Amino acid sequence: MDTSYYLFLFFFLPLFVLSTALLLIIHNNKKKKKNLPPSPSNSLPIIGHLLLLKNPLYRTLATISDQYGPIMFLRFGSKPLLVVSSPSLADECLTKNDVVFANRPRLLIGKHLGYNFTTLAWAPYGHHWRNLRRITTLEIFSSNRLQMFSNIRAHEVRSMIQRLISQSNKTDDGGYEYRTVEMKSTFLEMTLNIMMMMIAGKRYYGEGKKEEEAKRFTEILKDFFAFGGSTSILDFLGVLRWVGYKGIEKKIIRLKERRDEFLQELIEERRRLRKSSTKNADNDEEERKRKIMIDVILSAGADTSAGTMEWAMSLLLNNPEVLKKAQAEIYTQVGRDRLVDDSDLTKLPYLHAIIIETLRMYPPSPLLAPHESSEDCIVGGYRIPRGTMLLVNLWAIQNDPKLWDEPSKFRPERFEGVLEKGGSREGFKLMPFGSGRRGCPGEGMAMRVVGLALGVLIQCLEWERMNVEELVDMTEGIGITLPKAQPLQAKFRPLPAILNLLSQL
């Protein structure tokens, strides 16, 4: 045989077969991708659409959605990403495909801060997660449990008011001078005291002997919220691990170690305080519930509630007519002879509307915690591949001018009557606590704490902006829980009409 035959047999034939196979693979992949949701065309090799992203992410994604529609398919490095920003699409994901999207993506924070994906927030959907959810719902945030803790909430709110009043100087006519307070730290200290009393029966703030312990606790929480809801570039570009880009992961691991040390000390303290007569089986079960409670509360409860109260007070200071209307409601329904308590909250629909309007404009989680599809599914008529990370742009939905009249304006009146309808939801156009299997289990607790604290602050104190000629800066900061860029500072003094009550505190 001549040379050309062998050249064809050993070179051109394999090349032809390989080329044909590659063309078939490319053709099949393109065919499969034809029914994916719209996607920006400027995706780059390896990094995908990562260069499009700027902080705050929820606003950036909302802007891109304005061009490509309420359902988009992006690629963050190697990770496919589905972004939805309409009530109907959120409904499809969290109702029709709720089980499919019940998983969490396997991110670094879930590995390290979520104890290798075993906590309630990060565990994959299955028996273990269902058990955690059951304990959380029945043993921590049930109506009976919340009622059991009502005295703790009332005591800590009262203590907050006492600390504020103690900072005020009396005038010659028996009144008080205005004093300045930084609201976020005030709210956070109160909320953490409530949480720690529920967890461990101890307070960290307002007691001098525990100042160092409180400082350590606050620093851990600050770092926790800085990392706790964020994602790392390593989650999407794993190749960077091999070129030494692991600084973020090391910081997360160190934070986990610090948090573990603190929580272990807390648990050991509780063990020492338990009565020796308690059965070991009961001890183990109680310890398990307490660990779950600590994880839930530290993961979300304290910072989100404090942040919501800070946004609410900022809005009230910029809208004094709303503040006066809320105050009038409290004086009519509760009076001036006692403080607002839990049982009064159902009689204060305008206060409830203020809270809901705040949650609409500034949701604690503007992008709901990420979900991940466990199998292929259909959303909006498009094929969504298995392993796709889902982001529901709640901020875009709750601030959409097609859904809300003048969404940028603070108008609690739009929610007057919502309390009678059952709370804080309005289908999938308003869901500040999420929805479906992964919805926030602490909604009832959060609404009680925020309602009680705001109610008492409005009832007892007169509030003013630092500069009455300038509105409070409402710029949003960077963070998973939608912080204010500038912490709120405000002026206050006890109201003359309620001095008799305050003297009894």
Side-chain angles (χ1 to χ4, degrees):
M1 296 184 180
D2 59 22
T3 305
S4 61
Y5 176 82
Y6 288 105
L7 189 63
F8 172 81
L9 183 64
F10 293 106
F11 180 76
F12 290 107
L13 183 60
L15 183 62
F16 173 78
V17 172
L18 179 62
S19 300
T20 302
L22 287 174
L23 287 172
L24 287 173
I25 291 171
I26 293 173
H27 175 74
N28 288 334
N29 284 339
K30 285 184 176 180
K31 188 175 181 180
K32 288 181 180 179
K33 291 181 179 179
K34 280 184 179 179
N35 200 34
L36 291 176
S39 178
S41 58
N42 48 352
S43 175
L44 298 176
I46 301 177
I47 66 172
H49 295 97
L50 283 174
L51 289 182
L52 294 178
L53 304 181
K54 298 178 182 178
N55 285 318
L57 181 57
Y58 52 89
R59 285 187 179 270
T60 299
L61 293 176
T63 299
I64 299 174
S65 294
D66 288 341
Q67 180 178 358
Y68 291 93
I71 181 169
M72 297 189 303
F73 192 81
L74 305 176
R75 192 167 289 279
F76 284 7
S78 60
K79 192 72 177 176
L81 177 71
L82 174 67
V83 181
V84 300
S85 52
S86 77
S88 60
L89 291 166
D91 186 1
E92 276 198 62
C93 292
L94 303 179
T95 301
K96 178 182 176 182
N97 292 299
D98 190 19
V99 174
V100 175
F101 283 111
N103 276 340
R104 293 287 193 219
R106 297 179 68 82
L107 305 178
L108 280 177
I109 54 172
K111 176 182 177 181
H112 298 301
L113 297 182
Y115 298 99
N116 201 26
F117 311 101
T118 60
T119 64
L120 180 65
W122 289 103
Y125 181 67
H127 175 73
H128 173 66
W129 177 85
R130 286 193 295 270
N131 190 39
L132 293 178
R133 180 75 181 203
R134 179 186 60 80
I135 295 174
T136 302
T137 303
L138 298 180
E139 302 291 345
I140 301 174
F141 293 124
S142 67
S143 296
N144 287 338
R145 286 286 186 175
L146 293 179
Q147 184 59 37
M148 285 174 56
F149 296 131
S150 62
N151 288 337
I152 291 176
R153 294 192 294 274
H155 175 77
E156 295 305 329
V157 170
R158 182 185 296 261
S159 296
M160 176 184 65
I161 291 293
Q162 288 174 324
R163 290 197 297 274
L164 290 175
I165 293 173
S166 68
Q167 301 170 16
S168 301
N169 297 320
K170 285 191 175 182
T171 60
D172 294 337
D173 60 1
Y176 286 85
E177 296 177 352
Y178 276 107
R179 293 300 301 269
T180 300
V181 61
E182 196 267 286
M183 298 305 300
K184 179 62 178 289
S185 61
T186 299
F187 289 136
L188 190 57
E189 288 175 7
M190 179 207 67
T191 308
L192 288 173
N193 268 348
I194 293 174
M195 303 302 184
M196 292 309 298
M197 285 295 294
M198 291 168 57
I199 293 171
K202 63 190 295 184
R203 308 170 72 236
Y204 278 149
Y205 302 94
E207 297 185 15
K209 64 181 180 180
K210 296 176 182 173
E211 284 183 1
E212 287 302 316
E213 196 172 2
K215 181 179 178 182
R216 179 184 169 202
F217 185 45
T218 304
E219 288 174 352
I220 291 173
L221 283 172
K222 181 180 178 181
D223 291 341
F224 179 82
F225 289 120
F227 287 113
S230 62
T231 54
S232 165
I233 190 70
L234 299 179
D235 287 317
F236 307 117
L237 297 175
V239 66
L240 294 178
R241 293 171 182 241
W242 304 105
V243 293
Y245 196 92
K246 297 189 68 174
I248 295 176
E249 185 171 13
K250 289 180 180 178
K251 289 180 180 179
I252 295 175
I253 292 172
R254 178 55 189 147
L255 171 60
K256 174 188 178 296
E257 293 170 349
R258 288 164 53 209
R259 188 183 69 171
D260 286 353
E261 291 171 4
F262 183 87
L263 295 182
Q264 189 59 44
E265 291 172 11
L266 195 64
I267 290 170
E268 292 299 329
E269 181 179 346
R270 290 298 303 173
R271 285 175 176 166
R272 290 192 297 269
L273 292 174
R274 279 188 301 210
K275 295 180 180 180
S276 57
S277 60
T278 306
K279 294 181 180 179
N280 289 334
D282 292 338
N283 286 349
D284 293 342
E285 179 64 14
E286 183 64 26
E287 202 64 60
R288 187 163 64 105
K289 293 175 183 177
R290 194 171 297 279
K291 287 179 179 179
I292 295 171
M293 191 174 189
I294 290 171
D295 171 65
V296 172
I297 287 172
L298 295 188
S299 295
D303 192 71
T304 53
S305 296
T308 296
M309 288 184 275
E310 185 185 27
W311 282 115
M313 284 301 300
S314 301
L315 290 164
L316 290 172
L317 288 170
N318 282 348
N319 297 270
E321 72 284 354
V322 176
L323 180 58
K324 290 179 180 178
K325 185 174 178 180
Q327 199 172 74
E329 178 186 61
I330 291 172
Y331 288 159
T332 299
Q333 298 296 328
V334 180
R336 297 176 172 86
D337 300 326
R338 64 176 180 84
L339 293 180
V340 173
D341 63 31
D342 267 12
S343 64
D344 296 314
L345 296 180
T346 57
K347 300 182 291 187
L348 302 171
Y350 193 66
L351 175 64
H352 187 83
I354 288 171
I355 297 169
I356 300 304
E357 176 72 338
T358 301
L359 290 169
R360 180 193 67 79
M361 297 179 71
Y362 301 98
S365 182
L367 293 170
L368 294 183
H371 297 238
E372 184 172 281
S373 57
S374 57
E375 59 185 61
D376 288 5
C377 63
I378 301 297
V379 176
Y382 296 102
R383 186 185 67 86
I384 307 302
R386 175 184 179 182
T388 298
M389 187 164 75
L390 166 68
L391 291 180
V392 177
N393 195 339
L394 183 62
W395 180 89
I397 294 172
Q398 295 187 173
N399 288 272
D400 187 345
K402 296 189 292 292
L403 301 173
W404 304 93
D405 183 31
E406 297 182 302
S408 61
K409 289 189 177 181
F410 180 58
R411 289 173 45 194
E413 288 75 15
R414 74 174 87 232
F415 292 114
E416 286 186 310
V418 73
L419 185 58
E420 289 78 7
K421 297 177 183 178
S424 59
R425 299 175 183 272
E426 194 167 317
F428 285 85
K429 63 182 285 191
L430 177 72
M431 47 175 178
F433 297 95
S435 185
R437 285 168 171 77
R438 291 285 186 169
C440 176
E443 177 177 353
M445 176 70 178
M447 293 300 292
R448 284 170 171 81
V449 171
V450 173
L452 186 61
L454 287 179
V456 171
L457 289 174
I458 293 170
Q459 180 188 29
C460 296
L461 303 177
E462 182 180 350
W463 295 93
E464 279 192 3
R465 299 190 293 267
M466 293 298 295
N467 184 342
V468 294
E469 302 299 325
E470 295 181 5
L471 295 177
V472 172
D473 184 358
M474 302 298 286
T475 305
E476 301 146 20
I478 298 173
I480 191 64
T481 55
L482 192 59
K484 289 180 91 278
Q486 299 297 325
L488 174 63
Q489 288 193 322
K491 295 191 298 184
F492 73 93
R493 66 181 179 184
L495 281 160
I498 208 160
L499 289 178
N500 183 52
L501 170 61
L502 297 180
S503 67
Q504 302 172 28
L505 295 179

